């Protein structure tokens, strides 16, 4: 475990090229939770970019251990999440903490969501699902990360709120989680290949493409105009995506993203977590 009194001296050794020094640092920093952001902020230490990156790498084993240790598989697997929003959000927090660098200080995911909901209220976007959609997406506050679609960071909701970027599922989740705080009804649509959100507008169900600035899609029109739509896609359009199914999709996305980056250990972790969530 890293001693806070020793931390300033250890940080000064980050750029030391001596193999024995680097091995000692690796052992010390791996025996942490993987996040020293509070300690570093308290010391008012401004790390050079290279040292920042090196420290994050040294802390990664600790973040891996924390994720595996704290992940709680519901009895019955993903299906048991159902409408358990508290457990669902806690798992999203664990993913967010894991994908963070462990060095930069930032609020916890629930606090960031609370602040986003407060901003929406101040902007009077809490008056309807459609006003919230406009405020979050059509305004350009949140947009699809087209330039780096497969980065694992897209699954870090805290990062998404900080940058205004995300993939289809992360942006839809922000919409859903903020709406829930405002007593609005927004659900998920587990459409194959492109996750969507669902709201009602003038009593009619509408799909929201959060990735493309909140574009509205009429459920009625998409069913009438696509006669060859698959049974799976039709079921997704007509029903609310269960929270457990959403979580499984996130885990699969992360496994795929880390495989593309050839980060085999991280990909394996999310593969194993995915398998553990099976009923």
């Amino acid at each position: 475990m890293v001693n806070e009194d020793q931390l300033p001296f250890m940080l000064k050794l980050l750029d030391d090229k001596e193999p024995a020094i680097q091995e000692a640092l690796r052992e010390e920093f791996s025996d942490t939770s993987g996040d020293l952001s509070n300690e570093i902020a308290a010391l008012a230490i401004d790390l050079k970019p290279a040292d920042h990156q090196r420290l994050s790498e040294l802390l990664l084993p600790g973040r891996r251990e924390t994720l595996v240790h704290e992940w709680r598989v519901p009895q019955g697997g993903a299906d048991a999440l159902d409408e358990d929003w508290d457990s669902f959000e806690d798992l999203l927090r664990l993913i967010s903490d894991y994908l963070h660098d462990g060095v930069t200080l930032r609020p916890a995911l629930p606090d960031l969501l609370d602040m986003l909901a407060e901003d929406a209220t101040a902007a009077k976007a809490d008056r309807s699902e459609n006003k919230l959609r406009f405020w979050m997406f059509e305004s350009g506050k949140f947009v699809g990360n087209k330039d780096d679609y497969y980065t694992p960071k897209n699954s870090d909701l805290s990062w998404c709120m900080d940058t205004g970027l995300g993939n289809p599922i992360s942006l839809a989740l922000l919409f859903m989680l903020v709406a829930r705080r405002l007593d609005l009804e927004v659900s998920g649509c587990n459409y194959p290949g492109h996750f969507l959100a669902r709201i009602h507008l003038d009593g009619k169900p509408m799909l929201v493409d959060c990735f493309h600035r909140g574009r509205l899609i009429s459920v009625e029109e998409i069913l009438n105009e696509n006669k060859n739509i698959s049974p799976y896609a039709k079921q997704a359009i007509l029903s609310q995506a269960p929270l457990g199914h959403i979580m499984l999709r996130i885990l699969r996305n992360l496994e795929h993203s880390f495989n593309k980056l050839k980060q085999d250990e991280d990909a394996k972790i999310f593969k194993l977590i995915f398998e553990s969530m099976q009923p």
Side-chain angles (χ1 to χ4, degrees):
M1 182 63 67
V2 173
N3 185 307
E4 289 186 19
D5 294 332
Q6 296 176 333
L7 182 57
F9 304 101
M10 295 173 67
L11 295 176
K12 290 180 180 179
L13 296 173
L14 287 171
D15 59 357
D16 192 309
K17 304 301 182 183
E18 175 61 39
I21 295 292
Q22 288 301 310
E23 181 59 29
L25 290 175
R26 187 176 297 108
E27 290 182 7
E28 289 292 333
F29 284 120
S30 65
D31 189 25
T32 69
S33 68
D35 190 319
L36 292 176
S37 57
N38 284 292
E39 291 83 351
I40 293 170
L43 292 169
I45 295 175
D46 187 18
L47 294 171
K48 295 181 293 185
D51 289 343
H52 185 121
Q53 177 63 29
R54 178 59 180 154
L55 179 57
S56 182
E57 292 170 357
L58 291 170
L59 290 170
L60 180 55
R63 291 199 299 280
R64 287 174 178 148
E65 180 66 25
T66 298
L67 175 69
V68 172
H69 178 72
E70 295 189 4
W71 191 275
R72 295 288 181 266
V73 179
Q75 188 174 3
D79 289 342
L81 281 176
D82 286 335
E83 292 303 308
D84 187 354
W85 283 90
D86 289 340
S87 295
F88 179 71
E89 189 171 308
D90 194 50
L91 295 180
L92 291 173
R93 176 192 61 80
L94 286 174
I95 291 173
S96 180
D97 290 347
Y98 174 78
L99 295 173
H100 186 43
D101 59 20
V103 180
T104 309
L105 186 65
R106 71 179 185 184
L109 175 61
D111 295 332
L112 286 171
L113 289 166
D114 289 345
M115 288 188 280
L116 187 57
E118 290 170 3
D119 289 345
T121 299
K124 299 181 180 179
D126 61 333
R127 299 186 176 184
S128 72
E129 292 80 3
N130 195 42
K131 287 185 181 296
L132 183 61
R133 176 198 67 83
F134 185 94
W135 181 76
M136 290 184 69
F137 305 111
E138 194 167 333
S139 68
K141 185 177 184 66
F142 293 100
V143 297
N145 190 1
K146 298 178 182 178
D147 293 335
D148 202 0
Y149 186 87
Y150 293 104
T151 177
K153 292 180 180 179
N154 283 327
S155 295
D156 175 356
L157 296 189
S158 296
W159 181 86
C160 295
M161 282 185 278
D162 183 49
T163 62
L165 300 171
N167 60 16
I169 194 167
S170 63
L171 295 178
L173 280 172
L174 288 182
F175 192 22
M176 294 163 62
L177 291 163
V178 171
R180 183 169 179 269
R181 283 165 165 74
L182 301 176
D183 293 322
L184 299 175
E185 293 292 331
V186 178
S187 60
C189 171
N190 206 9
Y191 195 80
H194 195 83
F195 196 88
L196 302 165
R198 178 188 287 100
I199 64 173
H200 280 80
L201 189 58
D202 297 327
K204 295 183 179 180
M206 302 289 290
L207 301 178
V208 180
D209 185 351
C210 301
F211 189 81
H212 292 102
R213 299 189 68 156
R215 179 170 61 101
L216 288 168
I217 306 167
S218 167
V219 169
E220 183 179 357
E221 288 180 10
I222 197 172
L223 291 176
N224 290 338
E225 294 176 3
N226 293 272
K227 302 299 182 183
N228 296 321
I229 191 169
S230 71
Y232 181 85
K234 184 175 182 179
Q235 177 66 19
I237 290 171
L238 292 175
S239 61
Q240 176 176 316
L243 297 182
H245 291 195
I246 297 174
M247 181 55 64
L248 289 175
R249 188 158 175 170
I250 294 168
L251 296 172
R252 272 295 192 219
N253 283 349
L254 282 165
E255 180 191 352
H256 179 66
S257 294
F258 282 120
N259 274 326
K260 285 181 70 69
L261 293 171
K262 300 192 183 307
Q263 294 178 219
D264 297 338
E265 189 167 353
D266 299 290
K268 182 180 179 181
I269 285 174
F270 284 101
K271 181 176 186 293
L272 291 174
I273 291 176
F274 177 89
E275 292 172 349
S276 74
M277 296 288 285
Q278 298 301 311

